[in-house]
Amino acid sequence: METAEFIHALDREGRSLAAAAAEAGPDAKVPTCPDWQVRDLLRHTGAVHRWATSFVAEGTPAPRPLGEPPELDGDALLDWFREGHLRLVGTLSAAPRDLRCWHFLPAPSPLAFWARRQAHETAVHRVDAESARGRAPGDIAQDIAADFAADGIDELLRGFHARAKSRVRTDEPRVLRVRATDTEDAVWTVRLSAEPPVTARNGEGDADCEVSGPAAALYLSLWNRLPLPAVTGDAALATLWREKSAIG
C-alpha cells in the first residue's frame, strides 16, 4: 500500500471512531478493552495522534514520551479527539516525502512509517469504539479491506514482534504459521525460540501450529480483538500468542 492510501485510511477510520464513540457515549464499556470506557479510548487514541503529529510536524529526531490527555469529557472530549485526528491527517498529507524524524519500526521512510502506523492504530481502536456501541467485532471485520488487514498483520509480525520487547517466546524452537485464506501471498512463518520471533513472509517448511482465516479476522484476532479463526496443530502455540502478544 502507498502512503497516500494509509493517510486516506487514517482519515476514514478516525472519523468512524469518533462517530461510534459519540453514539456509544463516554460512559459505555469497551468490550474489546475491558478496563476501558469510551472516554479512556478517546483520551488514549487522541494522545497518540498528537504524539505522532509532533514527530512529523517538528522533525523530532529522538523519542519523547506520550503526553497526558486533558481531563475532558463528553462533547468537549469528542471535539478534542476530532481536532487532533484532523491535525494528524493534515500534517501527514502536507509532509515532504524526504521528511526526517524519529520512528520505531523499519520502513521505507519516516513518513511511510507514521502514515502506516497511525492508520492501523486508529483502525484497531475504531473496532473498539464500534464494540462499545454494540457491534460484534466479527461483523466489524467485514468492513476491513483484505489488503489493509494483511498489511496490518505484516506490521505486527515483522515489525512489533521482531523487537526485543516481544514476549512471544518458547524454551525450544517452534514454528507458528499465519495464513490469510482470502489474500494472495499472505502467509507468514514465525520462528519462535528464547529470542525475539523471526518472521518471514512465506509458507516454507513445516509448522507446529497454523492459524488461518480471512485476513480481516486474522488481523483483529492477532491484535486480540477476536478469537483466532482456525487453529491446526499444537494449539498451545496459539494460546501462547493470546497470553503473551499484547503490545506494551
Side-chain angles (χ1 to χ4, degrees), residues 28-126:
K29 297 288 187 181
V30 181
T32 48
C33 296
D35 294 335
W36 278 1
Q37 293 174 291
V38 164
R39 64 173 56 86
D40 302 305
L41 173 64
L42 289 171
R43 288 170 181 167
H44 167 79
T45 313
V48 170
H49 285 171
R50 283 166 167 76
W51 178 72
T53 299
S54 70
F55 292 106
V56 178
E58 302 166 22
T60 307
R64 60 172 53 157
L66 183 67
E68 288 293 325
E71 290 295 321
L72 298 173
D73 212 343
D75 289 343
L77 177 59
L78 271 167
D79 289 344
W80 175 82
F81 172 84
R82 288 187 173 115
E83 176 188 344
H85 167 249
L86 289 176
R87 187 183 306 157
L88 173 60
V89 171
T91 299
L92 288 167
S93 298
R97 297 181 66 87
D98 62 353
L99 169 75
R100 292 183 178 274
C101 67
W102 178 79
H103 57 293
F104 60 88
L105 295 177
S109 70
L111 179 58
F113 165 80
W114 283 111
R116 180 196 204 194
R117 176 80 292 276
Q118 290 309 300
H120 289 300
E121 174 83 13
T122 307
V124 171
H125 286 315
R126 192 265 294 182

Side-chain angles (χ1 to χ4, degrees), residues 28-229:
K29 297 288 187 181
V30 181
T32 48
C33 296
D35 294 335
W36 278 1
Q37 293 174 291
V38 164
R39 64 173 56 86
D40 302 305
L41 173 64
L42 289 171
R43 288 170 181 167
H44 167 79
T45 313
V48 170
H49 285 171
R50 283 166 167 76
W51 178 72
T53 299
S54 70
F55 292 106
V56 178
E58 302 166 22
T60 307
R64 60 172 53 157
L66 183 67
E68 288 293 325
E71 290 295 321
L72 298 173
D73 212 343
D75 289 343
L77 177 59
L78 271 167
D79 289 344
W80 175 82
F81 172 84
R82 288 187 173 115
E83 176 188 344
H85 167 249
L86 289 176
R87 187 183 306 157
L88 173 60
V89 171
T91 299
L92 288 167
S93 298
R97 297 181 66 87
D98 62 353
L99 169 75
R100 292 183 178 274
C101 67
W102 178 79
H103 57 293
F104 60 88
L105 295 177
S109 70
L111 179 58
F113 165 80
W114 283 111
R116 180 196 204 194
R117 176 80 292 276
Q118 290 309 300
H120 289 300
E121 174 83 13
T122 307
V124 171
H125 286 315
R126 192 265 294 182
V127 171
D128 296 330
E130 296 272 16
S131 77
R133 73 177 182 95
R135 285 191 74 194
D139 293 337
I140 303 167
Q142 298 176 22
D143 300 340
I144 301 173
D147 60 342
F148 181 79
D151 181 84
I153 295 169
D154 196 74
E155 183 201 43
L156 182 63
L157 296 180
R158 296 205 295 165
F160 279 103
H161 283 287
R163 302 186 300 169
K165 292 181 178 181
S166 178
R167 299 182 300 119
V168 183
R169 306 192 183 204
T170 55
D171 293 332
E172 300 295 331
R174 309 298 301 280
V175 177
L176 172 66
R177 181 152 295 133
V178 176
R179 185 185 304 274
T181 55
D182 60 347
T183 309
E184 188 175 358
D185 298 326
V187 184
W188 295 263
T189 298
V190 186
R191 300 191 180 279
L192 303 173
S193 70
E195 300 298 320
V198 176
T199 301
R201 191 160 181 169
N202 62 45
E204 296 175 2
D206 295 331
D208 298 293
C209 174
E210 180 167 309
V211 177
S212 61
L218 277 176
Y219 176 56
L220 295 184
S221 67
L222 292 171
W223 275 107
N224 293 320
R225 264 59 181 188
L226 279 177
L228 292 167

